[in-house]
């Protein structure tokens, strides 16, 4: 049997072979495969591969592919508690919640990947993040081999981060959400660009299906909904997080650089910094098949036939250019497998 190639299992479509691939279609299988994988010298849990940059050398270890299914909902007077198997694809699950009139996830429509990966970087978009509705995860801890429910409060969920992304190793088996009901009023629009395109005020109430439709439309226009025919979507989404800097440092930047409060600090726009450092949409290092998306400055894309090394070269070029121009270090958002970005 030939070795499984990770380029076939990631949305950037780069990455070499894994030594071994175990596919789990039930939660019991997932536990068994994960416990087996934990004994290997290297292991990786793989969902939709939409937040991964895997080296061309591949992965010398066991990959556990999460393809478990199942959605279980309990309604009460105030809302609905939903428990979802880790392998359920994210967006079809969101579509189900919207169709059922359950609220809270509609602004997260169109994000690729699996439900099990959603807490890993506390996915977010259009003014909403997973932490707003996540109650707990069922987790198989690699350190102890134990399976237990872990409350969201223990995951240190933050802007594109959690303990699961940074050090707490194991497998999310099930994710539990607490959602509301739409009722007559609808849900508040929490993002200025979304409000603008809907033609309503920020905070206005609209039906969840309206939010979902508009988010999908906006995301589609930016290449942020997967489409095999469109190379602008052969990406890992936003490749860099928005930098968070001190107010004193923010003062040193041009006055027209967008900025938002982030606790006591200031969040900057990575896209603005990249563009104003002179790296524009569509840019590719000469001879490379990796390029900035033609629709979104933050997405590094595979134009067909790119290598992971080319994606990493482009990432480093962007980082160095922004560092030299503005003194800001851009931090990659995807999980990097292999020695690529130093
Ligand atoms: C076009 C595009 C648009 C995107 N837009 C957004 C966006 O708007 N907002 C946003 O936040 N993200 C966005 N992303 C990033 C990505 O879709 C999310 O991070 C998503 O949650 C990743 O899910 P996945 O199943 O593909 O994870 P993978 O890429 O398979 O894995 C990502 C990480 O999570 C770990 N992991 C996966 N499953 C599990 C599990 N069950 N248990 C433990 N660890 C696990 C992996 O080991 C890896 O470290 C986008 C990506 C693309 C390609």
């Amino acid at each position: 049997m030939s070795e499984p190639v990770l380029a076939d299992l990631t949305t950037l479509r780069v990455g070499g072979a894994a030594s071994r691939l175990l596919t789990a279609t039930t939660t019991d299988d997932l536990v068994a495969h994960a416990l087996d994988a934990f004994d290997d010298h290297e292991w990786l849990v793989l969902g939709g591969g939409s937040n991964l940059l895997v080296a061309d050398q591949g992965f010398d270890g066991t990959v556990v592919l999460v393809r478990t299914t199942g959605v279980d909902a309990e309604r009460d007077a105030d809302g609905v508690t939903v428990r979802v198997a880790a392998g359920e694809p994210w967006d079809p699950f969101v579509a189900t919640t919207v169709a059922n009139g359950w609220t809270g996830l509609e602004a997260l429509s169109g994000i690729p990947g699996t439900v099990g990966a959603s807490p890993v970087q506390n996915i977010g978009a259009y003014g909403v993040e997973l932490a707003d509705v996540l109650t707990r995860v069922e987790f198989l801890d690699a350190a102890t081999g134990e399976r237990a429910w872990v409350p969201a409060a223990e995951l240190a969920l933050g802007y594109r981060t959690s303990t699961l992304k940074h050090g707490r190793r194991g497998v999310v088996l099930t994710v539990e959400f607490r959602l509301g009901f739409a009722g007559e009023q609808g849900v508040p629009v929490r993002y200025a660009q979304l409000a603008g395109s809907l033609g309503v005020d920020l905070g206005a109430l609209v039906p969840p299906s309206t939010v979902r439709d508009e988010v999908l439309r906006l995301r589609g226009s930016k290449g942020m909904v997967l489409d095999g025919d469109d190379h602008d979507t052969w990406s890992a989404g936003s490749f860099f997080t928005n930098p968070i800097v001190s107010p004193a440092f923010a003062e040193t930047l041009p006055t027209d650089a967008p900025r938002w409060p982030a606790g006591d600090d200031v969040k900057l726009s990575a896209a603005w910094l990249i563009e104003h450092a002179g790296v524009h949409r569509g840019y590719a290092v000469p001879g490379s098949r990796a390029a900035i998306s033609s629709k979104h400055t933050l997405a590094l894309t595979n134009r067909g036939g790119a290598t992971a090394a080319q994606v990493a070269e482009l990432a480093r070029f962007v980082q160095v250019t922004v560092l030299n121009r503005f003194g800001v270090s851009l931090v990659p958002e995807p999980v990097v497998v292999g020695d690529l970005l130093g």
Side-chain angles (χ1 to χ4, degrees), residues 1 14 28 45 53 71 81 103-104 114 134 136-137 152 157 160 165 176 180 229 241 260:
M1 200 181 74
V14 298
D28 286 346
V45 192
L53 171 59
V71 179
T81 298
T103 60
T114 55
L134 180 73
R136 53 183 188 153
V137 299
L157 299 165
R160 295 302 88 79
K165 192 168 177 179
E176 186 184 87
D229 294 333
T241 53
W260 303 273

Side-chain angles (χ1 to χ4, degrees), residues 11 44-52 86 111-114 116-118 120-121 123-125 160 170-172 219 223-224 226 235-237 333 335:
T11 55
L44 172 73
V45 192
L46 184 63
S50 64
N51 208 28
L52 279 175
I111 298 179
T114 55
S118 62
V120 173
Q121 71 154 3
I123 57 170
R160 295 302 88 79
V171 184
V172 173
R219 293 183 67 95
M224 284 288 140
L226 292 182
S235 77
E333 182 185 299
V335 173

Side-chain angles (χ1 to χ4, degrees), residues 10-13 112 216-237 282 289 291-296 299-305:
T10 57
T11 55
L12 259 169
R13 305 187 196 209
L216 287 174
R217 196 190 65 75
L218 284 169
R219 293 183 67 95
S221 70
K222 298 176 190 171
M224 284 288 140
V225 177
L226 292 182
D227 173 357
D229 294 333
D230 181 356
H231 285 292
D232 279 334
T233 77
W234 292 28
S235 77
R289 299 294 301 158
I292 307 279
S293 162
S294 71
K295 302 187 184 82
H296 194 326
L300 305 195
T301 64
N302 177 352
R303 309 318 292 181

